[in-house]
Amino acid sequence: MSNSGKVTPPADGGSVRKADPGGHIAPVLLAFLTTAGLFYVNIMPALVSGLVEGLGFSKATAGYVASANVYGASLGALITVFLIKYLNWKKAAAVALVGLIVMDIASTVQTDGTVLIAMRFVHGTIGGFLVGIGFSVIARTPAPDRTFGMLLVVQYGLGGVGLMTLPKLVPLYGTSVLFIALMAFSAITLVMLPFLAPYPAKEKTVMEAQKDGTGPYFKPLILALLAVFCFQAANMGLAAYVIELGKGEGLTTNSTSTTLGIANWISVAGAVFVYVIGLRNGRLKPLLLGLLVTLVGMFLFRFSGNASLFFAANVITGITWAFLIPYLLGMCAAFDGKGQMAALSGFFSKMGLASGPFVAALVIGEGNYTLLINLALMGIVLCIAAAFMPARLLDSKADAGPRAAPIPPQAAAEVIE
């Protein structure tokens, strides 16, 4: 098996050629699959701003729509935890993608805030189920941390396009353009699905091989999941209102959306770095360094009236977000081989992504952005405290995972076959 990323003939003699699980194409396909269920998160600032400007929603109502979408995703991800062992994941993913398209079509014609909140909750549930599938499959790959890194490359790259273009299109074509963009992404992903390999569950992870059951690893697992929650809540609570924050400090919609788009593209560097280095430096060191830099970036949002500092804040927090979340999700995936803990980390991730905008909507009022920034800083501090023990435990295992990248072809073959 090569590591070139070639598409290879299916082992079962089928008509569709599969992407080599040990190559570079498969992570991209898995990234699209996992992103499709949650792409609205990557354009959430545009979504919130579009609902305010396009439909005249209050800032709070727009925040509730966004959080309902992600709370639904939390439920969907939780459902996946219990079902993934019994699913034909490809068929389930196809059904979920069609469901997302249907719900986005329905959302384009809805203008009532209460109804839209309910509809986006249903959409989120379907999307969360799909993301849970994606996380579970990623956990079965030769190097989950690196594949999570590619996931962030796709999310930030395409999210940057959305943030640069969608806020400018809403005044011209209405809020429906936001949901049309989501539909298009789901349709493209549906076309990619047949090219993915089966990805059977791993026999055992290193953690399971050393100790069957949850025993002494229950506490670090819970802490790892809490770290994911705190990190996502802190980042998304601030990110959901970042366009409104810029406008509130005197910046224009065009300048803030352009800033966010460019910052998103630059932020891809964080995810690329994870994909390149893998676990060469373990987890604890990059996590601590990245979280400390995140605190600096978030603090700079206090000076958003300065366009340069607003741009710097978005770039710093974007890079660290893209750099850190693959490590946090990969840390959770290290605790089992079937993908259940990866799916459970997806649940905690989405609960964080939903709770951030929800709390922000409660405190934002007419523009209480300083409190919003302070809450985000507190969330990152809590993440540091929670991530320390599980990261140190995994680093203490000499063979806890690949310590360098790229993954040798023979190693990939041993896991997949």
Side-chain angles (χ1 to χ4, degrees):
M1 184 177 294
S2 79
N3 200 39
S4 64
K6 294 189 301 184
V7 176
T8 56
D12 59 5
S15 58
V16 179
R17 300 168 69 87
K18 310 298 183 185
D20 179 358
H24 300 301
I25 293 177
V28 175
L29 299 181
L30 286 172
F32 268 81
L33 175 68
T34 309
T35 300
L38 208 64
F39 187 53
Y40 54 86
V41 170
N42 298 99
I43 61 170
M44 189 170 284
L47 178 62
V48 170
S49 184
L51 292 174
V52 172
E53 290 194 5
L55 294 180
F57 286 4
S58 68
K59 291 182 178 66
T61 300
Y64 293 142
V65 171
S67 63
N69 218 152
V70 192
Y71 273 124
S74 303
L75 175 61
L78 185 61
I79 292 171
T80 313
V81 175
F82 301 103
L83 297 183
I84 190 62
K85 292 191 297 185
Y86 312 105
L87 289 175
N88 179 320
W89 67 265
K90 276 196 177 183
K91 291 181 179 179
V95 172
L97 286 165
V98 172
L100 289 176
I101 293 171
V102 171
M103 292 305 302
D104 281 324
I105 291 173
S107 297
T108 61
V109 296
Q110 185 53 245
T111 58
D112 181 84
T114 302
V115 176
L116 192 58
I117 287 172
M119 290 177 62
R120 299 315 291 178
F121 180 85
V122 175
H123 176 280
T125 302
I126 300 170
F129 178 70
L130 178 63
V131 175
I133 292 173
F135 276 26
S136 300
V137 177
I138 289 174
R140 303 173 186 183
T141 62
D145 300 79
R146 293 178 63 231
T147 306
F148 280 126
M150 180 57 70
L151 168 62
L152 269 293
V153 171
V154 170
Q155 288 183 342
Y156 272 76
L158 297 180
V161 175
L163 290 173
M164 284 191 70
T165 57
L166 293 176
K168 301 170 187 176
L169 294 176
V170 169
L172 298 175
Y173 302 104
T175 309
S176 61
V177 72
L178 300 168
F179 303 116
I180 292 173
L182 297 177
M183 279 188 280
F185 196 98
S186 297
I188 292 170
T189 305
L190 191 59
V191 173
M192 293 179 173
L193 186 60
F195 298 97
L196 282 166
Y199 290 100
K202 295 177 182 177
E203 293 275 330
K204 278 183 182 291
T205 65
V206 173
M207 301 296 285
E208 290 173 316
Q210 292 182 355
K211 177 69 177 181
D212 288 330
T214 56
Y217 300 129
F218 180 72
K219 182 178 179 180
L221 171 61
I222 294 300
L223 288 173
L225 294 170
L226 288 176
V228 170
F229 173 85
C230 292
F231 183 76
Q232 297 289 64
N235 278 286
M236 187 51 67
L238 188 54
Y241 285 95
V242 72
I243 290 179
E244 296 300 309
L245 168 61
K247 289 161 58 179
E249 293 293 331
L251 304 178
T252 66
T253 299
N254 281 349
S255 66
T256 53
S257 63
T258 300
T259 292
L260 289 177
I262 295 173
N264 255 42
W265 286 337
I266 296 174
S267 300
V268 171
V272 171
F273 195 48
V274 176
Y275 188 77
V276 171
I277 69 170
L279 296 178
R280 182 176 301 159
N281 299 304
R283 288 188 173 93
L284 184 58
K285 289 180 180 179
L287 279 172
L288 290 180
L289 177 61
L291 289 168
L292 290 174
V293 174
T294 300
L295 291 174
V296 174
M298 285 185 169
F299 185 78
L300 289 179
F301 277 112
R302 286 175 171 267
F303 311 100
S304 294
N306 184 307
S308 297
L309 292 179
F310 181 72
F311 178 74
N314 278 287
V315 169
I316 292 172
T317 54
I319 289 175
T320 56
W321 199 345
F323 177 73
L324 290 168
I325 195 62
Y327 282 112
L328 291 169
L329 295 174
M331 185 164 61
C332 298
F335 285 88
D336 87 311
K338 299 180 181 65
Q340 287 178 284
M341 294 305 102
L344 188 58
S345 73
F347 167 72
F348 275 79
S349 174
K350 286 158 200 60
M351 284 296 292
L353 292 173
S355 298
F358 180 77
V359 172
L362 292 176
V363 304
I364 192 66
E366 293 301 315
N368 196 356
Y369 298 114
T370 299
L371 176 58
L372 205 59
I373 294 167
N374 291 340
L375 289 174
L377 290 168
M378 290 173 58
I380 296 300
V381 171
L382 291 174
C383 178
I384 294 173
F388 187 85
M389 177 186 173
R392 184 174 62 176
L393 173 64
L394 289 172
D395 284 353
S396 70
K397 309 298 180 182
D399 56 348
R403 304 295 291 184
I407 304 301
Q410 65 270 23
E414 289 170 4
V415 176
I416 295 300
E417 295 171 2

